[in-house]
Amino acid sequence: MAHKGMLRDGALNDKVIVVTGGGTGLGRAMGEYFLELGAKLAICGRRTEVLEKAAAEMMAAKGSEVFTHSCDVRNYEEVEAFRDAVLAHYGKVDVLLNNAAGNFISPTERLSPGAFDAVIDIVLKGTKNCTLAFGKNWIKAEERDKVVLNITTTYASTGSAFVVPSAMAKAGVSAMTRSLAVEWARYGIRFNAIAPGPFPTEGAWSRLLPGDIPDMLKIENQVPLKRAGDKQELANLAAFLVSDYAAYMNGEIVTIDGGEWLLGAGELNFLEAVPDEMWDWIGEATRKGK
Ligand code: HXC
Ligand code: NAP
């Protein structure tokens, strides 16, 4: 199935959108669609060469402007320097997309304190650093109609074994989304989040499902729709949420996972494995409790 762009041409005209971790994976896919809709981009990450290559390719393909600045979101001074560089370049920022993350699977008892911090610092502290740096500036300049979009995961609300630092950090990002949606609404800043299920990217798959694991475990069978997400499907949702069409959406965390988390949650969902012929017998056996 081919997945197409959803919003009309020019839907993000004149918007300057900052995407942390925008040089790879889902951040890049969302950024590319924002460009297609008329936005200007500023992307950051730690690796300059990755950012520069991505920006050159995106500009060649989409014909719009992509500003790059290497920045480790764990470091507040670096985030402020990134923000100031974007402001010097574009003169304003309209949207902050907190997408940068770190993650890997591991039994928790095998994690060193440093390994725990590596993930929590990128996800929770990084999102806090960017939100604070860009938010304070909007508030001080008395600029309104600003948007923060955070990327969490479905297990931010359910929790998940083997990715405990990520689950803890993403839960904090969800709490920040809902808290500031209320507190900073008075400054004209709205906050939403997206909780994606599985969207194959090199960054995520190499750290969460390395080697043959996806084939061995048949990951798509965990999703009622029996497939992983397509990046364009996520980009469509992100573009809507940062656009003026979503101006009355504030404090929402939108799940996009093909029904994956509900499949794991519903009491009798395991009956999906029951074949048709057994349902005939079950139909008889359960009639009037016989
Ligand atoms: C156990 C590990 C480890 C691993 C690193 N460490 N990888 N421990 N298993 N696989 C430990 C190290 O030994 C070290 O411990 C500490 O963590 C810090 O490691 P560094 O390599 O120095 O950290 P750093 O260079 O800062 O890299 C951060 C990182 C890395 C998170 C470890 O993977 C990274 O850069 N990730 C960025 C991209 C990413 O993760 N993308 C996936 C996002 S997917 P000591 O004890 O020496 O301190 C996602 C949601 C997916 O978020 C949901 C899917 C459905
Ligand atoms: P990815 O390609 O690995 O993206 C992570 C990005 O974050 C990279 O560009 C990385 O660039 C950047 N980054 C990491 N640490 C950073 C730091 N300290 N400072 C600045 N930038 C940093 O993985 P992805 O799959 O696209 O993930 C994107 C987002 O989607 C993440 O928030 C992730 O949690 C979320 N998500 C993904 C999935 C999925 O199935 N893929 C599911 C749920 C949620 P550098 O390494 O160059 O810094």
Short mmCIF file of all heavy atoms in Angstrom, two decimals, residues 102-108 111-113 115-121 123-124 155 160-172:
data_model
loop_
_atom_site.label_atom_id
_atom_site.label_comp_id
_atom_site.label_asym_id
_atom_site.label_seq_id
_atom_site.Cartn_x
_atom_site.Cartn_y
_atom_site.Cartn_z
N GLY A 102 17.45 8.25 22.72
CA GLY A 102 18.41 7.16 22.82
C GLY A 102 17.72 5.98 23.48
O GLY A 102 16.83 6.17 24.32
N ASN A 103 18.11 4.76 23.10
CA ASN A 103 17.40 3.59 23.60
C ASN A 103 18.20 2.33 23.25
O ASN A 103 18.96 2.34 22.28
CB ASN A 103 16.02 3.51 22.95
CG ASN A 103 15.03 2.67 23.73
OD1 ASN A 103 15.34 2.14 24.78
ND2 ASN A 103 13.82 2.57 23.21
N PHE A 104 18.07 1.28 24.01
CA PHE A 104 18.54 -0.06 23.62
C PHE A 104 17.89 -1.06 24.56
O PHE A 104 17.48 -0.70 25.67
CB PHE A 104 20.08 -0.16 23.66
CG PHE A 104 20.69 0.32 24.94
CD1 PHE A 104 20.70 -0.48 26.08
CD2 PHE A 104 21.26 1.59 25.03
CE1 PHE A 104 21.26 -0.03 27.26
CE2 PHE A 104 21.82 2.05 26.22
CZ PHE A 104 21.82 1.23 27.33
N ILE A 105 17.78 -2.30 24.09
CA ILE A 105 17.17 -3.33 24.95
C ILE A 105 18.22 -3.93 25.87
O ILE A 105 19.37 -4.15 25.45
CB ILE A 105 16.50 -4.47 24.13
CG1 ILE A 105 17.39 -4.93 22.97
CG2 ILE A 105 15.12 -4.10 23.69
CD1 ILE A 105 16.91 -6.20 22.31
N SER A 106 17.78 -4.19 27.09
CA SER A 106 18.68 -4.85 28.04
C SER A 106 17.88 -5.25 29.28
O SER A 106 17.02 -4.49 29.72
CB SER A 106 19.80 -3.90 28.46
OG SER A 106 20.59 -4.49 29.47
N PRO A 107 18.19 -6.42 29.86
CA PRO A 107 17.65 -6.70 31.19
C PRO A 107 18.16 -5.61 32.13
O PRO A 107 19.35 -5.27 32.10
CB PRO A 107 18.26 -8.07 31.55
CG PRO A 107 18.62 -8.68 30.23
CD PRO A 107 19.01 -7.54 29.34
N THR A 108 17.28 -5.08 32.95
CA THR A 108 17.63 -3.90 33.76
C THR A 108 18.79 -4.18 34.71
O THR A 108 19.63 -3.31 34.94
CB THR A 108 16.38 -3.41 34.52
OG1 THR A 108 15.36 -3.20 33.54
CG2 THR A 108 16.63 -2.12 35.27
N LEU A 111 22.20 -3.25 33.50
CA LEU A 111 22.52 -1.85 33.17
C LEU A 111 23.42 -1.24 34.24
O LEU A 111 23.16 -1.39 35.43
CB LEU A 111 21.24 -1.01 33.08
CG LEU A 111 20.29 -1.32 31.93
CD1 LEU A 111 19.00 -0.50 32.08
CD2 LEU A 111 20.96 -1.03 30.59
N SER A 112 24.45 -0.52 33.79
CA SER A 112 25.24 0.27 34.73
C SER A 112 24.46 1.57 34.98
O SER A 112 23.59 1.94 34.19
CB SER A 112 26.60 0.59 34.13
OG SER A 112 26.44 1.47 33.02
N PRO A 113 24.80 2.28 36.06
CA PRO A 113 24.14 3.58 36.27
C PRO A 113 24.35 4.51 35.06
O PRO A 113 23.45 5.25 34.68
CB PRO A 113 24.84 4.13 37.51
CG PRO A 113 25.35 2.93 38.23
CD PRO A 113 25.70 1.92 37.18
N ALA A 115 24.65 3.61 31.93
CA ALA A 115 23.79 3.20 30.82
C ALA A 115 22.37 3.73 31.01
O ALA A 115 21.72 4.20 30.07
CB ALA A 115 23.78 1.67 30.73
N PHE A 116 21.90 3.67 32.25
CA PHE A 116 20.58 4.23 32.58
C PHE A 116 20.54 5.71 32.23
O PHE A 116 19.64 6.20 31.56
CB PHE A 116 20.34 4.06 34.09
CG PHE A 116 19.03 3.40 34.43
CD1 PHE A 116 18.99 2.08 34.81
CD2 PHE A 116 17.84 4.11 34.36
CE1 PHE A 116 17.78 1.46 35.13
CE2 PHE A 116 16.64 3.52 34.67
CZ PHE A 116 16.62 2.18 35.07
N ASP A 117 21.60 6.42 32.68
CA ASP A 117 21.65 7.87 32.46
C ASP A 117 21.73 8.22 30.98
O ASP A 117 21.18 9.23 30.54
CB ASP A 117 22.86 8.49 33.18
CG ASP A 117 22.67 8.51 34.68
OD1 ASP A 117 21.55 8.26 35.13
OD2 ASP A 117 23.66 8.76 35.40
N ALA A 118 22.44 7.37 30.21
CA ALA A 118 22.63 7.68 28.78
C ALA A 118 21.27 7.86 28.11
O ALA A 118 21.07 8.78 27.30
CB ALA A 118 23.42 6.57 28.10
N VAL A 119 20.32 7.01 28.45
CA VAL A 119 18.99 7.08 27.83
C VAL A 119 18.14 8.18 28.47
O VAL A 119 17.55 9.02 27.77
CB VAL A 119 18.28 5.71 27.94
CG1 VAL A 119 16.83 5.81 27.47
CG2 VAL A 119 19.05 4.66 27.13
N ILE A 120 18.12 8.20 29.79
CA ILE A 120 17.28 9.20 30.48
C ILE A 120 17.74 10.62 30.14
O ILE A 120 16.93 11.53 29.93
CB ILE A 120 17.29 8.96 32.00
CG1 ILE A 120 16.50 7.67 32.29
CG2 ILE A 120 16.65 10.13 32.75
CD1 ILE A 120 16.34 7.33 33.73
N ASP A 121 19.04 10.82 30.05
CA ASP A 121 19.55 12.17 29.78
C ASP A 121 19.18 12.65 28.38
O ASP A 121 18.88 13.83 28.19
CB ASP A 121 21.07 12.22 29.97
CG ASP A 121 21.46 12.21 31.44
OD1 ASP A 121 20.56 12.22 32.30
OD2 ASP A 121 22.68 12.16 31.73
N VAL A 123 16.57 11.51 26.47
CA VAL A 123 15.12 11.57 26.26
C VAL A 123 14.46 12.61 27.19
O VAL A 123 13.77 13.53 26.72
CB VAL A 123 14.48 10.17 26.46
CG1 VAL A 123 12.96 10.26 26.34
CG2 VAL A 123 15.04 9.19 25.43
N LEU A 124 14.68 12.45 28.48
CA LEU A 124 13.95 13.32 29.41
C LEU A 124 14.64 14.67 29.58
O LEU A 124 14.02 15.73 29.41
CB LEU A 124 13.81 12.61 30.77
CG LEU A 124 12.98 13.36 31.82
CD1 LEU A 124 11.57 13.63 31.33
CD2 LEU A 124 12.92 12.56 33.12
N TYR A 155 4.64 2.56 25.12
CA TYR A 155 4.93 2.01 26.45
C TYR A 155 5.23 3.09 27.49
O TYR A 155 5.53 2.77 28.63
CB TYR A 155 6.02 0.93 26.39
CG TYR A 155 7.36 1.36 25.84
CD1 TYR A 155 8.17 2.27 26.50
CD2 TYR A 155 7.84 0.81 24.65
CE1 TYR A 155 9.41 2.64 26.01
CE2 TYR A 155 9.08 1.17 24.14
CZ TYR A 155 9.87 2.09 24.83
OH TYR A 155 11.09 2.46 24.34
N SER A 160 7.27 -1.00 29.92
CA SER A 160 7.69 -2.17 29.14
C SER A 160 8.95 -2.75 29.73
O SER A 160 9.88 -2.01 30.10
CB SER A 160 7.95 -1.79 27.68
OG SER A 160 8.47 -2.92 26.99
N ALA A 161 8.97 -4.08 29.81
CA ALA A 161 10.18 -4.78 30.21
C ALA A 161 11.28 -4.52 29.18
O ALA A 161 11.00 -4.28 28.01
CB ALA A 161 9.90 -6.28 30.30
N PHE A 162 12.51 -4.56 29.62
CA PHE A 162 13.73 -4.53 28.79
C PHE A 162 14.04 -3.18 28.13
O PHE A 162 15.01 -3.08 27.39
CB PHE A 162 13.71 -5.67 27.74
CG PHE A 162 13.47 -7.02 28.36
CD1 PHE A 162 12.32 -7.74 28.12
CD2 PHE A 162 14.41 -7.54 29.25
CE1 PHE A 162 12.09 -8.97 28.73
CE2 PHE A 162 14.20 -8.78 29.88
CZ PHE A 162 13.04 -9.49 29.61
N VAL A 163 13.22 -2.19 28.38
CA VAL A 163 13.54 -0.81 27.93
C VAL A 163 13.15 0.15 29.06
O VAL A 163 12.54 1.20 28.83
CB VAL A 163 12.82 -0.40 26.62
CG1 VAL A 163 13.50 -0.96 25.39
CG2 VAL A 163 11.34 -0.80 26.66
N VAL A 164 13.52 -0.21 30.28
CA VAL A 164 13.03 0.53 31.44
C VAL A 164 13.47 2.00 31.46
O VAL A 164 12.66 2.89 31.71
CB VAL A 164 13.39 -0.23 32.75
CG1 VAL A 164 13.11 0.62 33.98
CG2 VAL A 164 12.59 -1.52 32.80
N PRO A 165 14.76 2.31 31.16
CA PRO A 165 15.12 3.74 31.16
C PRO A 165 14.30 4.54 30.14
O PRO A 165 13.86 5.65 30.43
CB PRO A 165 16.61 3.73 30.78
CG PRO A 165 17.09 2.36 31.13
CD PRO A 165 15.93 1.44 30.90
N SER A 166 14.08 3.95 28.97
CA SER A 166 13.29 4.65 27.96
C SER A 166 11.85 4.82 28.41
O SER A 166 11.26 5.90 28.26
CB SER A 166 13.35 3.86 26.64
OG SER A 166 12.46 4.40 25.70
N ALA A 167 11.27 3.76 28.99
CA ALA A 167 9.88 3.86 29.45
C ALA A 167 9.74 4.94 30.51
O ALA A 167 8.79 5.75 30.49
CB ALA A 167 9.41 2.51 29.98
N MET A 168 10.70 5.00 31.44
CA MET A 168 10.64 6.01 32.51
C MET A 168 10.77 7.42 31.93
O MET A 168 10.05 8.34 32.30
CB MET A 168 11.79 5.78 33.51
CG MET A 168 11.60 4.54 34.36
SD MET A 168 13.10 4.15 35.28
CE MET A 168 13.32 5.60 36.28
N ALA A 169 11.73 7.56 31.01
CA ALA A 169 11.98 8.90 30.44
C ALA A 169 10.80 9.36 29.57
O ALA A 169 10.38 10.52 29.64
CB ALA A 169 13.26 8.87 29.62
N LYS A 170 10.27 8.46 28.76
CA LYS A 170 9.15 8.84 27.89
C LYS A 170 7.90 9.15 28.72
O LYS A 170 7.10 10.01 28.35
CB LYS A 170 8.85 7.73 26.88
CG LYS A 170 9.96 7.50 25.85
CD LYS A 170 10.03 8.60 24.79
CE LYS A 170 10.90 8.19 23.62
NZ LYS A 170 11.02 9.23 22.59
N ALA A 171 7.74 8.44 29.85
CA ALA A 171 6.60 8.75 30.73
C ALA A 171 6.74 10.18 31.26
O ALA A 171 5.75 10.92 31.38
CB ALA A 171 6.55 7.76 31.89
N GLY A 172 7.97 10.58 31.55
CA GLY A 172 8.20 11.95 31.99
C GLY A 172 7.88 12.96 30.90
O GLY A 172 7.34 14.04 31.16
#
